[in-house]
Amino acid sequence: MRLIVVDNYEAMSRKAANMVAAQILLKPESVLGLATGSTPLMTYQFLIKLYKDETINLDGVTTFNLDEYVGISKGNENSYHYYMEENFFKYVNIKSENQHIPDGNATNLEAECFSYEKKIKSKGGIDFQVLGIGNNGHIGFNEPDLKFEAVTHPINLDDETIKANSRFFESEAEVPKKAITMGVRTIMNSRKVILLANGQNKTETIYKAIYGKIDPHLPASILQLHPDVTFILDREAASLIKDTSDMQYVDLYL
Ligand code: GLP
């Protein structure tokens, strides 16, 4: 595992965008796995900038989003379809047929999950996966569980996640109770993974994900076993990680 600790949210986002950009420059037909939530917002802004100044071209890129809520329309401003369109896709040149997000309104959710997983495989798998992390250690919407084995599947969201995500909705009651998510197995099959976290509400979860027992009750802990994973953290999220506090910029292999 590689650990990069930078001063603040902006530096974390710049670092993440630069790593995605390098991936695209080295392999213009890359398959990217993309995340939503507040954490990667500025990463998308930096990527848009890199596209606008012609450093990167996303014409050959294919994307697969990690997850989507079940039961809200694509046009709902809290859907991940809307998020991706408004925060990234409409500003760059990824072909619409190459943008993939699970359909949370599919009549048969199991069939949708099966076909999503199949599409990922048919594109040769994910080259580079971007992740955030939930307060309970979830990645995508893989909530704490008894097993790590799942591929893309429908999931009932935990009360903690519903509460945490209610900040984007009018009220907690409006937060969908269900989602579709790539599974931990799908994520672990990605060739390269970066996980971004900032702020003090992620500090303890990050500490457990990096140093804790590898346990499906903290889904992100399995990343300790990924052969090419980088955690990019700001100082606050990294504050329980020893030996980094008096360094300017920390780049560690654990
Ligand atoms: C959601 C998403 C995750 C995301 C997490 C953290 O539940 N499904 O992919 O990583 O929230 O969100 P935030 O970045 O807003 O803290």
Side-chain angles (χ1 to χ4, degrees):
M1 173 184 286
R2 186 175 177 205
L3 181 64
I4 295 177
V5 182
V6 293
D7 268 340
N8 53 35
Y9 176 65
E10 186 179 334
M12 178 202 79
S13 308
R14 184 178 294 108
K15 186 82 199 164
N18 288 349
M19 288 177 74
V20 176
Q23 172 67 37
I24 296 167
L25 287 169
L26 295 173
K27 184 178 177 189
E29 284 80 36
S30 286
V31 179
L32 305 180
L34 298 180
T36 50
S38 44
T39 308
L41 275 174
M42 199 185 276
T43 301
Y44 291 127
Q45 288 167 15
F46 278 119
L47 281 171
I48 293 164
K49 215 160 156 257
L50 288 165
Y51 165 68
K52 288 201 166 140
D53 72 16
E54 298 182 7
T55 306
I56 54 171
N57 178 4
L58 295 100
D59 188 45
V61 165
T62 296
T63 64
F64 285 94
N65 266 75
L66 281 166
D67 47 14
E68 177 57 291
Y69 289 113
V70 166
I72 56 176
S73 70
K74 291 181 183 169
N76 182 311
E77 60 181 35
N78 281 306
S79 80
Y80 291 163
H81 278 80
Y82 186 92
Y83 173 107
M84 289 309 298
E85 184 58 26
E86 292 304 311
N87 294 302
F88 190 45
F89 290 153
K90 77 177 188 190
Y91 299 105
V92 295
N93 67 335
I94 301 172
K95 295 189 183 95
S96 57
E97 66 268 28
N98 290 341
Q99 304 166 3
H100 305 281
I101 305 177
D103 180 1
N105 286 303
T107 39
N108 183 337
L109 293 179
E110 296 286 350
E112 168 63 13
C113 293
F114 185 77
S115 104
Y116 199 70
E117 195 69 29
K118 221 166 126 191
K119 260 186 259 168
I120 295 173
K121 284 211 179 95
S122 77
K123 298 284 178 185
I126 292 168
D127 291 307
F128 192 105
Q129 176 68 56
V130 179
L131 296 176
I133 186 167
N135 295 334
N136 60 2
H138 74 222
I139 46 178
F141 266 135
N142 290 281
E143 300 287 28
D145 201 348
L146 298 174
K147 290 183 290 196
F148 280 125
E149 295 148 34
V151 291
T152 303
H153 62 291
I155 185 136
N156 293 320
L157 300 179
D158 277 11
D159 291 344
E160 195 180 341
T161 300
I162 292 171
K163 204 183 250 333
N165 289 2
S166 67
R167 69 190 193 278
F168 300 113
F169 292 79
E170 295 273 308
S171 69
E172 207 173 303
E174 280 182 30
V175 185
K177 309 283 176 283
K178 241 182 151 149
I180 288 180
T181 183
M182 276 184 201
V184 168
R185 182 134 59 109
T186 325
I187 294 169
M188 284 297 279
N189 280 337
S190 309
R191 291 177 192 93
K192 236 181 218 304
V193 178
I194 62 171
L195 183 145
L196 317 181
N198 66 289
Q200 58 188 20
N201 60 338
K202 298 286 169 71
T203 310
E204 214 171 304
T205 312
I206 283 294
Y207 181 79
K208 286 191 203 149
I210 296 176
Y211 294 107
K213 185 170 181 294
I214 296 162
D215 183 332
H217 289 104
L218 196 106
S221 62
I222 199 170
L223 295 169
Q224 293 173 33
L225 302 181
H226 193 281
D228 190 347
V229 61
T230 304
F231 278 44
I232 310 175
L233 311 172
D234 78 343
R235 285 249 170 246
E236 283 186 338
S239 59
L240 284 175
I241 296 168
K242 313 282 177 293
D243 304 328
T244 62
S245 49
D246 53 356
M247 297 185 205
Q248 273 301 308
Y249 166 85
V250 186
D251 192 343
L252 288 177
Y253 285 92
L254 297 178

